[in-house]
Every structure is written in structure tokens, then in C-alpha cells.
Amino acid sequence: MSLHAIVFAGPSLGGSVMALPDGVELRGPARRGDMLRAAIERPAAIGLIDGLFETTPSVWHKEIIQVMAEGIAVYGAASLGALRAAELAPFGMVGIGAIAQAYRTGQIERDDAVMVSHAPAELGHRAMTLALVDAEHAIEQVEMAAGARALLLRLARRMNFRDRSWALIGDAFRQATGRDLPPIDQGLSLKRKDAELLLWTIAGPVAVPRVAPPPQSFFLRSLRAEISAA
């Protein structure tokens, strides 16, 4: 199998993934420099779904533009990839799925709407908390009174991404109303849906981007030199 695309993902795929399309290689969440390192392998495309952001520097915007300037298509979806795709759409990064579209149109404005705490690589980067976009998506599918829906959404939005879970949302709803959480399909995940869509999209034909290199700042030059020397 020849390498066609490299995709960086983790918790958005729920700790597991369907059979990968031919030519697509899956790697863990990206950190600063990972996309430039992947570009050395000359794939036709690179997909960014999940990225690290607290324990290590996250993927730079200029890093992504540099990759595209080298003739590699870049796609983003579901999590950090959706954010970067919305920010870099004018430069040619392609957003995939509902979340990327919502960021691009301003329907989602909070960076933390897609954030979760997750397990380490040894445990498959499995999500340990609930992303706000997934909570909102599941709540919107349920038939309930408008007031109850508004309360549930408000409770979910108040929680920090490091803590948010269906159990905590249920506890807060019970304290506020004296009632149990209405039946909700807690397995629904808009992030996973968008991430899987990126995998299948990136496996198909991709257009070579025509992007000018970003300004070669000291930091970008240093990062490229570090990667070249490794």
C-alpha cells in the first residue's frame, strides 16, 4: 500500500476507528512540528483532526501554510483541525464536516467547544470528558420541552471541558429540576462523524494547493532547522 495521506487523530475517533481507507495512515494527535515532519514523507495530503494543546505547543498556523506551500493538500475536521481549517480557509486549508463549517460561519465561536481531556497514547487517546459540540448535538436530537432543552444546553455550556460528562450534566439537571435527565443517545458524536468523513474524503483525489510560503520568521526557521537536523 503506497502512502497517500497522513491523518493526525485521537479522541475524536472514540479511541478506535473503522477499517482505514487504502493509502491512509493514522497517527496520534499532532503537536507543533508534526505536520512539517510528515511533509518530509511527501504524502499527497495531510489531515488534522486532533492536536495536543496543554502539555506541548500546538500546531502553528504558519506550519500548516508551509506544508501547503510545499504542494501538500491539508484537510481539517472535528476538533483542532476544524478550528485551523476555519482560520486558514483563505489560504487553502479544506474544512470537512459540520463542525468546521460552523466555525467558518461563526455558528461556533468558542475554541473550547471541541476540547476534551483524553487518555495517553497507551490507552488509545480515548476521550475522558464530553465535548460541548457532542453534548449540544445529542441534546438537540431529543424531543423535550423548550425550557428543559434550554436548561440542559445552559448547564453543558457552563462546564469546563476538563470536567464535562453526561453524569455531571445529569446531576446538575436533577438539582435544578428534581427530575432525571431525559433519555438521550449519549453515544452520538458529531466529532466522530466529521472525523470519519475526513478519513474517507482524504483517501480520494486531492487538488494540489497553490499557496505562497508564509513569512519565514525566526521561530519558523528554527522549527524547520530542528526538523531537518533530526
Side-chain angles (χ1 to χ4, degrees), residues 86 101 123:
Q101 176 66 13
L123 298 176

Side-chain angles (χ1 to χ4, degrees), residues 189-204:
S189 174
L190 189 58
K191 289 185 69 176
R192 184 170 61 243
K193 180 179 179 181
D194 284 3
E196 292 180 350
L197 179 60
L198 182 146
L199 289 176
W200 287 106
T201 301
I202 207 169

Side-chain angles (χ1 to χ4, degrees), residues 123-203:
L123 298 176
H125 301 289
R126 187 177 298 276
M128 299 172 67
T129 58
L130 174 66
L132 179 58
V133 289
D134 283 346
E136 292 178 334
H137 179 63
I139 291 168
E140 292 292 352
Q141 310 308 308
V142 181
E143 291 187 12
M144 67 176 79
R149 188 190 313 279
L151 174 61
L152 275 176
L153 290 171
R154 189 162 61 249
L155 293 172
R157 289 165 180 163
R158 285 177 179 172
M159 293 180 182
N160 189 281
F161 77 89
R162 300 174 185 85
D163 306 316
R164 189 183 301 110
S165 68
W166 285 118
L168 284 182
I169 293 172
D171 289 345
F173 185 79
R174 205 171 298 111
Q175 290 174 12
T177 66
R179 304 194 307 272
D180 287 335
L181 201 64
I184 294 175
D185 185 352
Q186 299 180 8
L188 281 178
S189 174
L190 189 58
K191 289 185 69 176
R192 184 170 61 243
K193 180 179 179 181
D194 284 3
E196 292 180 350
L197 179 60
L198 182 146
L199 289 176
W200 287 106
T201 301
I202 207 169

Side-chain angles (χ1 to χ4, degrees), residues 24-25 43-44 54 76 83 92 94 99 146 198:
V24 176
E25 180 181 322
E54 285 194 307
L83 273 167
V94 180
I99 298 171
L198 182 146

